[in-house]
Amino acid sequence: MIAFEKVFQVCFVYFMCLIVSTHAEKYRICVVDGKENYKDSAKYCPKLDEQDSPVECVVALDRLDCLRRIHKGKADFGVFTAEDLVAASNSDIELLITNELRFVPDQTFEYEIVAVISNHAGIKSKHDLKGKKYCHPGYGYEADWTKILSNYFEALVVTPQCDPQLTIVENRVKASSKFFGAACKAGPWTNDAVLDFQLKRKYSNLCILCYDPKKCSQQDKYWGRTGSLLCLTDGAGDVSWARLEDVKHHFGITPGGQEGNPEEYSLLCPDDSIMPLNSSSPCIWVVKPWSVVASRMSKTSGVQSLINSLDRSILDTNTSSWKFNLLNLIEPIYLTAEMVNPIISIETYFRRAKGFLNANSFSACHPPRTIRICTTSNIETAKCSWLRESAAVYGIEPDLDCLKADNKTHCMMALNDKAADIMVVPPDLVSTATRNYALKTLFYETTLEPSKYIVVVVTKKETKLEILEDLRGIKACFPSYDGIAWHSVASTLQRNHLIGCAIDRDMATFFGPSCVPDSPGNLSENLRKGCQSDFQGENGALHCLASGVGDVAFVSSKSIKKFAEDLTNDFDYPDIRNEVQSFQINCLEKNQPCYLSWSPPGQAMIRASRSDVWIKDTLNVFLNLDGLFGKHFRDPTNAFTMFGRYDGASNVLFHDETEKLREVPTVKNIDVTDLFFENVLGREKVCYAPSSSNRIMFVKEWFIAILGICYWYINL
């Protein structure tokens, strides 16, 4: 009996363990929060943590982050667009497709694109298109219709231009301008507003068919999906590039409206044949596949069964069930999750999608132009590689490449030596980059006011400073030599006639024994007397002040809060933790802001010798990337996060707080904040004490000059 009870107990424990382990092995869905009404993780994920749910959430920053998590085994499945799948395939990430997310259950693709021609235009094949009038849907809604697909028709029928003296955008525009007699291509041709205006004036025939040719904007009657068809049926154009579903609706082939007589128009086919608009098998140029549920190979059958068990009818019933919450995470804007049978690979999925991969493989010129981004760590290089893939998938040119150096100095050397093209430089290195490596700024990482790098004067409350003269002789703590704080202080003292133009020498004599990390060995020892090994950088300068070694620190205003937070988690310096409470910012100049200078957190720098064409190409690329993957992306969820954490790390490649990229250092033109650092640096007066040999040469040259003047005067 006792033996039986022991066996029963063992079996019971085993059975309970089996149940627990079964429930513990949940399928992990990768969830991406979007903007505004698309922040779903907090709303739906908690219900998936309940015991009866076979699913749990893994929250990611963006859809490509989900790809990486699935690839690393940290998630099992997620929702992806066709563009995401191209990036996955290019990055050798193996996924299998279990379900398609459709708006229309019986529609095989999200949309199909056709070329519609007027029967009176005399178009019998692609060769007859030259000189005709083209109605294009325009630009400005790339989240719905990428430039790759909107430009596909021209990529096939127009002979490309590859003039090295023109930007890629202008080459493309010029080629279309020469091929078509007239067109309406409304909306922004490029994200650079000035360049967009110039191109539209130069190639005005591509706007002449628009309802308002001078503006050629997104507000035009002939802009957009229906706009290109109105352009055609109003008699303005000969051929229109449009979605098949819009064509059927526009011409009354499907119920809902009729703006034109279908008997007067036809479909131009890629094989040069012509067919009626109401053909039962219309000829398609390119298709856009539906978004999908894709899974790790080892989880596909279970994931598909899970998705197939969901029914949209539950959206009106039990809102607390795990099925309701999972369905809202998977298909909030779709109507059905169609099972893919059999489960297929990405490559097989794209073989079904006519023209889609072909559209993604077009290049404007051979060899393609390339922008080489210099990175300084493995994680920066990894993020850069995903940025490169994302740019390619959305048709952004020139191509990107990523080159790794050991540090920022080596990157500056690489740019100077033409081994790389562009890098992001922090404020502390702007002076060095400009002076020593002949670099200049292409664009700034602009931020909102609290995130700017603002140089301030920090002391303890007991230190009495009222005017700049009070700084004379006191012990100063700087983050680094030759950085933004160093030059901001020097320029301020110069402006107030407290030091001369021999900055290094005069700063060393103006202050008492100080700490200026990385100051050259040939400078005064006074600049290094107060230095310790942990006084490097912003935190180091504040540590120098807090520990009593220095009397004043010149740092970024936002570094004070970070220093306090770091001390809270650091038990090595208990003695100085309370000192932070006595920090204060000093205003030492009347009628001046309570800071010495300000700067964005970073700026992209290039060789000063780069051509105007290269600069326009490169700026256009990064402005486009910002529009697609920056803080103001247009998709419900972000495909890739340019400005935010990457794989758990902050400030990778770009700064997290960056609001947008601009040619000017402010987010808005109305921001007129005084004392921009580059302007301060430009006003700095620099002179050098001449050596003895230089002094001899200097006197000799003046003596010769004086003799020459005397000789000229005598011979008058």
Side-chain angles (χ1 to χ4, degrees), residues 519-697:
S519 55
N522 61 341
L523 295 186
S524 171
E525 181 64 25
N526 202 44
L527 296 177
R528 293 185 295 279
K529 278 184 178 179
C531 284
Q532 297 178 15
S533 60
D534 49 2
F535 286 180
Q536 190 84 25
E538 297 276 319
N539 272 15
L542 289 170
H543 186 190
C544 168
L545 173 63
S547 61
V549 173
D551 302 315
V552 62
F554 302 102
V555 293
S556 165
S557 57
K558 63 182 180 179
S559 68
I560 302 171
K561 180 181 178 181
K562 183 179 183 301
F563 181 63
E565 291 172 349
D566 290 347
L567 279 180
T568 302
N569 302 317
D570 192 337
F571 298 101
D572 292 336
Y573 303 105
D575 297 338
I576 68 171
R577 203 169 296 148
N578 294 330
E579 298 294 332
V580 180
Q581 305 303 320
S582 69
F583 282 0
Q584 65 178 7
I585 294 175
N586 292 261
C587 305
L588 301 180
E589 286 189 275
K590 290 183 179 180
N591 303 319
Q592 286 289 332
C594 195
Y595 57 86
L596 305 184
S597 76
W598 69 273
S599 174
Q603 52 207 76
M605 300 193 78
I606 60 174
R607 286 191 299 283
S609 59
R610 296 307 314 227
S611 69
D612 288 344
V613 169
W614 187 92
I615 288 172
K616 288 178 181 178
D617 261 340
T618 305
L619 181 62
N620 187 52
V621 163
F622 283 93
L623 294 181
N624 279 329
L625 290 171
D626 185 6
L628 286 168
F629 311 124
K631 296 276 175 71
H632 307 284
F633 62 90
R634 296 170 184 172
D635 268 350
T637 58
N638 203 354
F640 178 79
T641 303
M642 277 185 76
F643 314 127
R645 293 174 69 83
Y646 177 85
D647 280 359
S650 296
N651 302 320
V652 180
L653 200 61
F654 298 99
H655 288 84
D656 295 356
E657 64 263 35
T658 298
E659 191 67 21
K660 61 181 177 179
L661 307 179
R662 294 195 71 197
E663 288 181 273
V664 294
T666 55
V667 173
K668 297 179 180 179
N669 292 334
I670 57 173
D671 186 347
V672 290
T673 311
D674 196 17
L675 299 177
F676 173 46
F677 175 57
E678 287 188 35
N679 295 340
V680 169
L681 190 62
R683 290 195 294 266
E684 190 177 73
K685 299 175 183 177
V686 181
C687 62
Y688 303 94
S691 65
S692 58
S693 60
N694 285 340
R695 283 197 295 268
I696 293 170
M697 182 63 70

Side-chain angles (χ1 to χ4, degrees), residues 379-544:
I379 194 169
E380 272 196 359
T381 307
K383 182 175 181 179
C384 179
S385 297
W386 279 104
L387 182 65
R388 177 187 63 206
E389 292 298 336
S390 303
V393 165
Y394 283 84
I396 295 175
E397 294 179 297
D399 301 329
L400 299 179
D401 198 7
C402 309
L403 302 174
K404 182 178 174 297
D406 294 332
N407 50 51
K408 292 289 187 183
T409 299
H410 288 174
C411 266
M412 291 188 287
M413 293 171 64
L415 263 66
N416 186 260
D417 293 339
K418 302 182 180 180
D421 299 313
I422 189 168
M423 65 178 291
V424 177
V425 176
D428 270 338
L429 289 179
V430 169
S431 173
T432 302
T434 306
R435 182 187 63 243
N436 297 351
Y437 298 98
L439 305 185
K440 69 177 182 180
T441 300
L442 178 65
F443 59 79
Y444 299 90
E445 294 183 276
T446 65
T447 64
L448 300 176
E449 191 68 30
S451 298
K452 290 178 179 176
Y453 190 112
I454 301 173
V455 180
V456 292
V457 181
V458 183
T459 64
K460 295 178 184 178
K461 289 179 181 177
E462 61 266 25
T463 304
K464 301 301 181 183
L465 295 178
E466 295 182 357
I467 59 175
L468 284 168
E469 177 66 35
D470 293 339
L471 291 172
R472 187 182 297 276
I474 72 171
K475 296 171 289 184
C477 305
F478 287 85
S480 65
Y481 172 76
D482 204 30
I484 179 173
W486 172 262
H487 286 284
S488 299
V489 172
S491 179
T492 303
L493 295 178
Q494 277 187 343
R495 188 174 69 245
N496 287 271
H497 309 293
L498 296 175
I499 66 170
C501 58
I503 291 173
D504 291 350
R505 181 194 65 196
D506 293 351
M507 290 275 277
T509 56
F510 181 82
F511 290 106
S514 299
C515 178
V516 185
D518 302 323
S519 55
N522 61 341
L523 295 186
S524 171
E525 181 64 25
N526 202 44
L527 296 177
R528 293 185 295 279
K529 278 184 178 179
C531 284
Q532 297 178 15
S533 60
D534 49 2
F535 286 180
Q536 190 84 25
E538 297 276 319
N539 272 15
L542 289 170
H543 186 190
C544 168

Side-chain angles (χ1 to χ4, degrees), residues 117-174:
I117 57 174
S118 167
N119 291 343
H120 306 293
I123 300 172
K124 302 300 180 184
S125 71
K126 294 192 293 287
H127 305 291
D128 299 323
L129 290 170
K130 186 170 177 59
K132 301 301 183 188
K133 295 175 288 184
Y134 180 39
C135 298
H136 185 272
Y139 303 104
Y141 54 108
E142 281 72 29
D144 187 44
W145 187 336
T146 67
K147 284 189 176 180
I148 284 180
L149 297 182
S150 64
N151 289 331
Y152 185 59
F153 183 67
E154 289 159 274
L156 288 176
V157 303
V158 176
T159 303
Q161 290 264 151
C162 291
D163 187 343
Q165 302 304 314
L166 301 178
T167 64
I168 286 179
V169 172
E170 184 167 359
N171 268 309
R172 195 187 304 278
V173 170
K174 184 178 180 180

